Amino acid sequence: MTGASRHYVLAAGGTGGHLIPAFALAAELHARGHHVALVTDERGAKLPGKPDFLPAHVIPASKLGKNPLRWPSGVRAIMDGRAMAMRLYESFQPSAIVGFGGYPVFPALLAAMACEVPSVIHEQNAVLGRVNRFFAGRVDAIATAYPEVARLNPKHAGKVHLVGNPVRAEVLSLRDEPFPAFVEDGLLRVLVTGGSQGARVLSEVVPDGLAMLQPALRQRLQVTQQCRPEDIDAVRARYRSHDIPAELATYFEDMATRLADAHLFIGRAGASTIAELTAVGRPAILVPLPIATDDHQAANCREIVKAGGARMIRQPMSTVGVPEGSSDSANARRRKQSEIFQKLAKDISRQIQAMAQHPETLATAAHGAWNCGRPRAVEDLADLVESFGGAELMDVIRVGGNNARGASQGAVAGQGAARDRA
């Protein structure tokens, strides 16, 4: 426990990308002796992994969207959520509100402004999200996961703090474990995921890409892949036809253990995925989701790719969705998609061959990914949050200063220390 016990409210949308760091911060604040409550939506209240001590308050929220006809109902939902959040703050008396992005954060932060409660936003991605963008000029502090964040107005630089993106404790505990031994004639363990529901494009192209590897490398493969339920039988048949051993499932409860064993990761580039890869230090081939808002998954790749820890392959927008029916246009589009999938498979095969042809290449890439990790993310974020209602701000920030320039310098210094340690 650090000083007097205080109350904090965390607000987050109902996806793992928003809630995983919120849960991590809740656990850290709870361990420091504080009381924490969560404001979220129906999905967030049911998401696995929520700490038992953390009460979840579901409030109305809505995105306004582009259709003006839906704006009145959307505004009503937001104002109802604001009123509910204000009642919560009146009884809970929080020292600060922390927003992690997502639409439930909008009414929660509006209520914070109305109640004059200090507020912090945490941006997990390398592009400032829409809700965080709206509140960036109004909140007291902005915590970021990357040294460079697009859509962040330079005039707000004075309240930016680079802390990183908190990850699950079981993943962070692997940071000091060595990269698994990979030798010339040993197994190449490949882990393939695509987010909580898998990614259909990876089910389409990864088995074929692995089959294109040179025989000496292909015969050493051991694959673990997460798939959508409706895809799993077809993916299993593909691997069987290529004579590649693969363990497939729609969900792996021991994902941290599988990440620890993997020599190479293939998947999307969500913020939590990048944070876990850099926390553990695993080489990756990343295929950003092409329809991600503001193309933020591609931006998330920038740092780890520059460090040599990953290769990025772009998925064309035209491959999103599979046309229905049997019209000439639908059939032509399916043929075009098939050609693009074949090219993606070749690109994946080429990158795997380049990274795994020599054991030292993968080990070097693992080290590059590890150097991008920010293992103190949850502690530094908790220090920032604790500065409201307790100690002075300058006494608790330990990430290289309380402005954007200092934060970036702190990140560089931290990476230098990581290289010295390794």
Side-chain angles (χ1 to χ4, degrees):
M1 183 180 296
T2 59
S5 175
R6 296 189 289 279
H7 293 187
Y8 295 101
V9 172
L10 313 185
T15 65
H18 297 310
L19 282 167
I20 288 174
F23 291 164
L25 177 61
E28 178 67 18
L29 291 173
H30 179 76
R32 297 185 184 194
H34 303 305
H35 300 283
V36 190
L38 174 69
V39 168
T40 186
D41 54 23
E42 293 282 357
R43 294 178 304 161
K46 299 174 182 177
L47 192 78
K50 185 179 76 65
D52 293 337
F53 64 80
L54 183 65
H57 301 267
V58 175
I59 65 171
S62 176
K63 62 178 179 179
L64 297 180
K66 297 181 180 179
N67 185 352
L69 296 178
R70 297 184 178 179
W71 289 354
S73 60
V75 170
R76 281 195 300 272
I78 291 170
M79 298 312 293
D80 287 346
R82 174 181 176 270
M84 288 181 63
M86 290 177 68
R87 290 194 293 271
L88 171 63
Y89 302 164
E90 183 178 353
S91 61
F92 195 62
Q93 293 292 301
S95 294
I97 313 300
V98 187
F100 286 87
Y103 291 102
V105 174
F106 201 94
L109 287 180
L110 285 178
M113 310 298 163
C115 297
E116 298 184 343
V117 179
S119 54
V120 179
I121 54 175
H122 179 268
E123 179 54 62
Q124 300 89 52
N125 292 297
V127 179
L128 200 65
R130 291 177 180 176
V131 173
N132 284 347
R133 205 179 306 161
F134 179 86
F135 285 104
R138 299 167 173 84
V139 297
D140 297 277
I142 302 169
T144 66
Y146 295 91
E148 297 180 19
V149 179
R151 299 295 186 96
L152 178 58
N153 195 316
K155 69 181 181 181
H156 304 319
K159 52 185 172 182
V160 172
H161 307 268
L162 174 64
V163 300
N165 195 10
V167 300
R168 297 171 293 165
E170 60 267 31
V171 172
L172 189 59
S173 67
L174 301 170
R175 182 164 176 80
D176 293 327
E177 298 295 323
F179 183 63
F182 177 60
V183 296
E184 291 285 356
D185 56 352
L187 289 174
L188 172 61
R189 292 190 291 273
V190 179
L191 175 63
V192 187
T193 77
S196 60
Q197 294 297 318
R200 174 158 290 163
V201 67
L202 299 181
S203 295
E204 292 275 356
V205 304
V206 171
D208 293 345
L210 293 173
M212 295 175 189
L213 292 172
Q214 295 177 6
L217 187 58
R218 186 178 68 243
Q219 292 167 6
R220 296 158 54 198
L221 289 171
Q222 186 177 75
V223 180
T224 299
Q225 183 163 347
Q226 178 197 36
C227 308
R228 293 171 182 257
E230 61 270 28
D231 296 336
I232 195 165
D233 289 339
V235 178
R236 183 174 288 113
R238 281 177 184 247
Y239 277 116
R240 189 180 297 117
S241 68
H242 297 317
D243 197 25
I244 295 174
E247 181 182 1
L248 310 179
T250 57
Y251 178 76
F252 292 105
E253 292 187 2
D254 58 342
M255 187 61 79
T257 301
R258 294 175 184 276
L259 183 60
D261 291 339
H263 296 113
L264 179 65
F265 172 89
I266 303 174
R268 292 300 197 192
S272 293
T273 295
I274 301 293
E276 293 191 350
L277 290 171
T278 56
V280 179
R282 290 297 178 271
I285 294 173
L286 301 171
V287 185
L289 177 67
I291 59 172
T293 304
D294 297 319
D295 201 22
H296 68 257
Q297 287 203 4
N300 291 348
C301 296
R302 186 186 306 120
E303 185 181 30
I304 188 173
V305 169
K306 184 177 180 180
R311 312 285 181 96
M312 181 177 70
I313 297 174
R314 298 305 302 260
Q315 175 189 354
M317 185 72 73
S318 61
T319 60
V320 178
V322 178
E324 299 288 341
S326 58
S327 66
D328 290 342
S329 60
N331 289 333
R333 187 179 171 197
R334 274 193 288 269
R335 287 193 297 271
K336 182 64 175 177
Q337 283 186 346
S338 179
E339 293 173 3
I340 295 174
F341 284 156
Q342 188 74 0
K343 182 181 183 302
L344 284 172
K346 290 179 180 178
D347 289 343
I348 288 174
S349 179
R350 184 164 53 249
Q351 296 293 0
I352 296 173
Q353 196 74 45
M355 296 180 76
Q357 192 166 11
H358 305 291
E360 62 272 15
T361 307
L362 270 183
T364 300
H367 186 61
W370 190 91
N371 277 339
C372 294
R374 296 183 174 89
R376 280 194 50 83
V378 70
E379 289 95 335
D380 288 335
L381 182 56
D383 288 347
L384 175 61
V385 171
E386 268 193 327
S387 70
F388 297 98
E392 291 295 324
L393 179 64
M394 291 179 63
D395 292 337
V396 297
I397 301 301
R398 297 196 296 270
V399 294
N402 65 342
N403 55 58
R405 183 171 180 269
S408 296
Q409 291 172 344
V412 172
Q415 290 178 18
R419 293 188 189 97
D420 292 343
R421 172 201 166 280

